[in-house]
Amino acid sequence: MSTEGKPAVLIIGGLGYIGRNLAKYIHDSNLASEIRLVDKHLPELAWLAPEFKEACSRERFMQADASQERSLARIFDREGGKEFDFVFNCGGETRFSQDDKVYELRSHALSMAVGREAAKRKVQCFQELSTGMVYKPESAPRKEMDKLKPWNNQAKWKLKAEEDLAKVDGLNLMIMRIAHVYGPYTGKFLSTALCMARVYQSKGKEMRWLWKEDLRTNTVHIDDVVRALWTGAEWYVKQAKKTPAPIYNIVDHGNTSQGVVAKIMHDVFNIETGFHGTLISAFARLNMDHVVDEVNDETLDPWAELQNAAGISQSTPLSPFMEKELLKDTDLSMDGSAFEKDTGFKYTHEKLTKKGVEEVIESYKRQGWWP
């Protein structure tokens, strides 16, 4: 199939979880005339599953730190003086609980460097990936215009990037605020719960959550995320009015809560699950550091033992390590209807299901990561 006349695509953070899946979707669907992936890590060290080898091949890949001014020409220059049509910024610091300085340099500075360059080169659509954690947490689903009050450092600097990019003259900006992403090979949010559940299963112990079962932990499947990003870019370039920059929530219809996750863990692992009473939760709120340390002490060694017993000697992206910032009593509750209404996008994974979780575990087994 000819790719002539199709957009040329640059993915910053192209080896990250969303970046690699976006590259694979664009490649497999033959949507672009050129795909360039930029990442500061090497593909060999990125735990790429075999099906990503082609989409994330060496000839598409460029190792560079896009937050450095001196790298920008090399990152953005194409043969014959042509420019990229779509730039997706999937880069930045994905770990939680880091110092402000880390996010300022690795997330905010990165967004601003590539955003300014994209404006200078008149890129047709620059997509900034953000998070639903920028909203003031409420259990009722947050809409795009609702009150903002980021509840961790990562989200605080994501929001600052959103606001500062909106001030860049001539930038064709679109902002995507994304819920907890899950899917095959995921090494975030859901994987922590899965590893913990595996430890509790091996010990025959009950897995218990803090706070209440209706605490919202909204989710979205990676396949829907990458389709939404592409749908958004194609929609954006057809719009006559591009300011203010459109902002959209990307989230499934399941309104995932801790209770939903607990039930799935019970069904998949055949373990007892429950919730700590209000007394323990109240104690935990005052002693978060202590509680997090205790949880991690309880799971990290047994996880290492499970891996040893299974003969897993390679390092893997999986760990039951619980981030303090993700144990907060804060709702991630989002309403994604605006994006569907405006672009006609349809979600294929309506909600987090037992089958969806089992597919994730199967992907870990294929990679030799799962004990």
Side-chain angles (χ1 to χ4, degrees), residues 164-211:
D164 292 347
L165 284 167
K167 298 174 193 147
V168 174
D169 268 350
L171 180 60
N172 291 315
L173 174 64
M174 181 172 198
I175 292 162
M176 306 298 247
R177 293 179 180 157
I178 305 174
H180 284 303
V181 183
Y182 75 96
Y185 313 111
T186 178
K188 285 274 177 293
F189 178 69
L190 182 67
S191 70
T192 308
L194 292 174
C195 295
M196 290 174 86
R198 178 70 188 92
V199 168
Y200 289 114
Q201 179 190 45
S202 74
K203 291 188 163 316
K205 284 175 71 172
E206 182 186 19
M207 182 171 177
R208 303 182 81 178
W209 276 257
L210 283 170
W211 328 125

Side-chain angles (χ1 to χ4, degrees), residues 90-91 162 218 264 267 297 311 316 330 338 343 359:
C90 307
E162 286 186 21
N218 281 189
I264 292 174
D267 294 348
D297 284 348
T316 80
T330 39
T343 68
E359 282 169 8

Side-chain angles (χ1 to χ4, degrees), residues 47-104:
W47 289 303
L48 285 176
E51 59 264 42
F52 292 94
K53 291 286 190 279
E54 210 178 309
C56 304
S57 66
R58 270 294 188 175
E59 49 273 20
R60 291 205 173 88
F61 174 73
M62 177 185 288
Q63 187 179 24
D65 180 350
S67 66
Q68 302 294 326
E69 295 284 326
R70 61 174 184 276
S71 310
L72 293 173
R74 188 164 66 93
I75 289 168
F76 277 81
D77 284 348
R78 293 178 64 211
E79 273 173 33
K82 295 195 291 254
E83 298 294 356
F84 285 102
D85 300 296
F86 298 167
V87 175
F88 297 93
N89 181 21
C90 307
E93 181 53 73
T94 54
R95 293 174 305 167
F96 289 94
S97 318
Q98 308 294 306
D99 289 338
D100 279 324
K101 207 80 209 133
V102 174
Y103 297 111
E104 189 177 1

Side-chain angles (χ1 to χ4, degrees), residues 322-336:
M322 176 50 84
E323 293 273 11
K324 182 177 146 193
E325 289 190 325
L326 286 186
L327 248 189
K328 282 186 179 169
D329 182 11
T330 39
D331 288 287
L332 179 63
S333 181
M334 302 163 68
D335 179 332

Side-chain angles (χ1 to χ4, degrees), residues 28-39:
D28 292 353
S29 314
N30 200 26
L31 297 169
S33 56
E34 184 186 333
I35 306 171
R36 180 180 295 171
L37 311 179
V38 174
D39 206 292

Side-chain angles (χ1 to χ4, degrees), residues 121-136:
R121 293 172 182 255
K122 303 190 171 33
V123 166
Q124 292 178 33
C125 178
F126 177 87
Q127 254 185 34
E128 175 73 1
L129 274 56
S130 189
T131 168
M133 297 179 195
V134 296
Y135 295 108
K136 182 170 190 285

